[in-house]
Structures are given as structure tokens and as C-alpha cells.
Amino acid sequence: MTSRTVLVALLLAAVAASCATAQLQEKFYSESCPNVEEVVRKEMVRALSLAPSLAAPLLRMHFHDCFVRGCDGSVLLDSANKTAEKDALPNQTLRGFDFVERVKAAVEKACPDTVSCADVLTLIARDAVWLSKGPFWEVPLGRRDGSVSISNETNALPPPTANITVLTQLFAAKNLDIKDLVVLSAAHTIGTSHCFSFSDRLYNFTGQDNASDIDPTLEPFYMAKLKSKCASLDDNTTLVEMDPGSFKTFDLDYFKLVSKRRGLFHSDGALLTNGFTRAYIQRHATGAFKDEFFADFAVSMVKMGNTDVLTGSQGEIRKKCTVVNH
């Protein structure tokens, strides 16, 4: 066994130990719903074969769930008066809610009243990465669903405009460290973003609102390309690939782009302002350590997936992910 393999095994064991204290287990449904992962994967394979671009939104939805109230499925809840998490500005561009409901319905058909929406979403996120040619990892399960979803609590989400200080603080609040920050940021290797999430870097970096008010840290040729796609601050519809050329493939190109100052968001560029995150980016920008990064990503995803979970008799197992049980 190589030293790298030993290290990865030790890291996963440490994360597994923390999951055990929260009553999460990889084989949690081994008796009550032994085929749950197969049911989820069947739906994922079918969906991504038709719409591979759905992988990134589903992964993003899991992130947004875990950073607000922990991984409890609260991002999936509807609200009659539009005050739920999904109604908040950072979540208005989330998509895939109907698909999650379809997967949950398939799971309910196989195992009624057994598997939480929080666990379904966590499995969906793992398969979204794996089916995009990324790493596979065993998912500790046993989460319960929350019943509270409040839009103004989404201020716990790391915004794309954040600097390194804000990013590290928001991650630390979820027991995630500086390595988790740079590793999980690489989820931006798949997916697209609306222009309004970064256009201030192109036209309004210091508040002057003109074509010369640019972010000087953004590579000039990349900036010109972005300006050709996002014509103004008022563009609310155009989508831009976060990892141009391979935005449907989970790979190491994100690190190459960020190392060249071509990260799309403030938060991507901010990773170059910290010694540890910059060194990590430069190492993986070489493309020579794919297995190492994939192992790191798996560890950080399991760690994030254990954030503030409800277990045991806490919460509930929702029949439908959009509404609490009555």
C-alpha cells in the first residue's frame, strides 16, 4: 500500500469516525432500504444522459442545503408566502427541484417512509460528481429532514463576491477548514453561471459603473471574452461556462484557470491571496495529481455532508421533499 493510499485511508477513517458520532453510517439502510443507492443512481443516469448539464445544479443544491441549517433538506421546502430558503436571492438560480422530487418518489415507491430527502439529495450530489467523470465515495447516511426553512438564513452561504477572509469564516462556521475551502471550490469545474454573479468585475468593480471600472486581478484576455458574452451589468439571462471547454466534466481544469487568473468569481480569484490555497491550486494546476485531488474532494464532501445533521429521533422523514409531513 502506497503512502498516499495510507493517508487517504486515514483521512476517510477520521471523517467516518466523526460521522459515527452523529449516527451516520454508510450501511444505514442496509436492512430497511438496501437498494436505495441503486434507485437513486438509475434516476441519475437517466436524467444526465438526457441533460448532462443538470449535474452541476444538483451538486450546488447540496452545497446550499448544507450551509444553511446543515444538511437537512430545508432548501427543498416550499413556502406559501415565499419566505423559504429557495426563495432567497442566492437560491433563485437553483434548478433541479422537480428532479429531486422525482427521485424521492422513486425511493418512496421502493421503501415508503424510510429515506430522508436530505439523504436523497446527498446521494444525488455524489452521483452528479461521479457521472461527470469525477470521484466516487461511500456516503454516510441516516440524516433526518428538517421542518424549518427561512430565506434570510441564506446569509450563511459563501457568496461569489467574497474575499478570502469572509470565505474562511463562513467555512469555519460549518467546521470546514482552509483545505476544504479550496478543495470544494473546485466544484466550479462543472456548471454555468449567470453574468450578474460576476459582472461587477467587468463594469463596476469599485462602484463607478462604467466599462473601465474593472477588476485588475482578472486576466485581460479572459476579461475581454467575458465582456463579449456579458454586455452590461443589466444582463440577467446570459449563462457563461465556469470551466470553459469542459464544463460538463469534473476535472482539474479549474485549477489551471484559477492559476492563470481566469477564475470566474471573486471567490475563485481570492484563493490566490492565501498561501495555502494558492499552493494547492498551483500543485493541481499541473494536472499531475488527479488521484490526490479526487481523494481530497471525497473527504471534504463527506465532511460537509456531516454538517449539523439531524439524526435519530430528530426531524422527520418527509413523504414529499417540498412539504413537511402533517
Side-chain angles (χ1 to χ4, degrees):
M1 183 178 289
T2 66
S3 59
R4 179 185 301 171
T5 303
V6 171
L7 176 59
V8 170
L10 289 172
L11 287 170
L12 286 169
V15 174
S18 68
C19 290
T21 63
Q23 301 176 19
L24 298 184
Q25 304 169 29
E26 292 175 4
K27 304 299 183 183
F28 186 85
Y29 299 111
S30 61
E31 295 184 5
S32 60
C33 192
N35 296 323
V36 60
E37 296 196 36
E38 288 77 9
V39 173
V40 172
R41 187 162 304 124
K42 181 180 179 180
E43 295 295 329
M44 286 292 291
V45 169
R46 180 185 301 157
L48 296 188
S49 65
L50 297 173
S53 62
L54 184 60
L58 293 171
L59 176 59
R60 182 175 176 234
M61 190 183 296
H62 177 53
F63 274 71
H64 283 223
D65 185 40
C66 291
F67 267 85
V68 182
R69 289 188 168 265
C71 311
D72 68 344
S74 54
V75 74
L76 304 171
L77 285 171
D78 285 341
S79 168
N81 55 1
K82 302 298 181 183
T83 57
E85 289 172 31
K86 65 168 58 171
D87 301 306
L89 186 61
N91 288 336
Q92 288 178 6
T93 54
L94 289 180
R95 64 186 181 93
F97 290 108
D98 290 343
F99 173 72
V100 174
E101 201 65 62
R102 184 161 77 244
V103 177
K104 171 62 171 173
V107 171
E108 281 294 307
K109 183 177 180 180
C111 312
D113 304 316
T114 303
V115 182
S116 67
C117 294
D119 275 348
V120 168
L121 183 55
T122 305
L123 288 170
I124 284 174
R126 188 273 309 276
D127 285 356
V129 172
W130 181 58
L131 292 171
S132 300
K133 301 183 180 180
F136 181 90
W137 62 92
E138 296 295 336
V139 176
L141 299 166
R143 296 165 190 79
R144 305 269 290 180
D145 294 323
S147 59
V148 177
S149 185
I150 303 172
S151 61
N152 62 17
E153 291 185 349
T154 56
N155 56 13
L157 291 169
T161 56
N163 59 32
I164 195 68
T165 301
V166 172
L167 289 170
T168 53
Q169 290 173 344
L170 291 172
F171 271 68
K174 299 302 172 184
N175 198 34
L176 298 171
D177 59 27
I178 192 76
K179 183 176 181 179
D180 297 315
L181 167 59
V182 65
V183 169
L184 293 175
S185 293
H188 291 166
T189 188
I190 55 174
T192 59
S193 172
H194 288 85
C195 290
F196 61 73
S197 294
F198 58 86
S199 58
D200 62 315
R201 303 185 78 188
L202 313 178
Y203 302 107
N204 194 34
F205 188 62
T206 63
Q208 297 178 28
D209 191 8
N210 61 60
S212 61
D213 190 13
I214 60 174
D215 181 350
T217 67
L218 198 57
E219 195 273 325
F221 290 103
Y222 183 52
M223 177 176 292
K225 182 173 290 188
L226 291 177
K227 282 192 169 187
S228 72
K229 296 177 180 295
C230 306
S232 73
L233 287 171
D234 299 322
D235 189 336
N236 294 319
T237 57
T238 302
L239 289 171
V240 174
E241 297 174 9
M242 292 193 289
D243 186 349
S246 66
F247 76 105
K248 296 178 184 177
T249 303
F250 195 98
D251 55 26
L252 276 70
D253 284 357
Y254 169 83
F255 296 113
K256 297 176 184 178
L257 292 169
V258 175
S259 70
K260 296 176 180 179
R261 298 189 293 121
R262 294 181 179 182
L264 189 61
F265 305 117
H266 287 274
S267 57
D268 296 323
L271 298 175
L272 294 175
T273 65
N274 172 273
F276 179 89
T277 53
R278 181 173 61 253
Y280 191 94
I281 287 167
Q282 291 171 341
R283 176 177 176 82
H284 291 289
T286 66
F289 306 99
K290 177 181 176 180
D291 290 346
E292 180 182 293
F293 164 62
F294 275 19
D296 285 347
F297 192 82
V299 169
S300 291
M301 284 294 290
V302 170
K303 189 175 176 183
M304 184 186 73
N306 192 40
T307 300
D308 298 331
V309 294
L310 302 174
T311 60
S313 61
Q314 299 171 315
E316 63 181 7
I317 304 296
R318 286 186 225 137
K319 290 286 292 184
K320 292 186 177 182
C321 293
T322 56
V323 294
V324 298
N325 295 337
H326 298 292

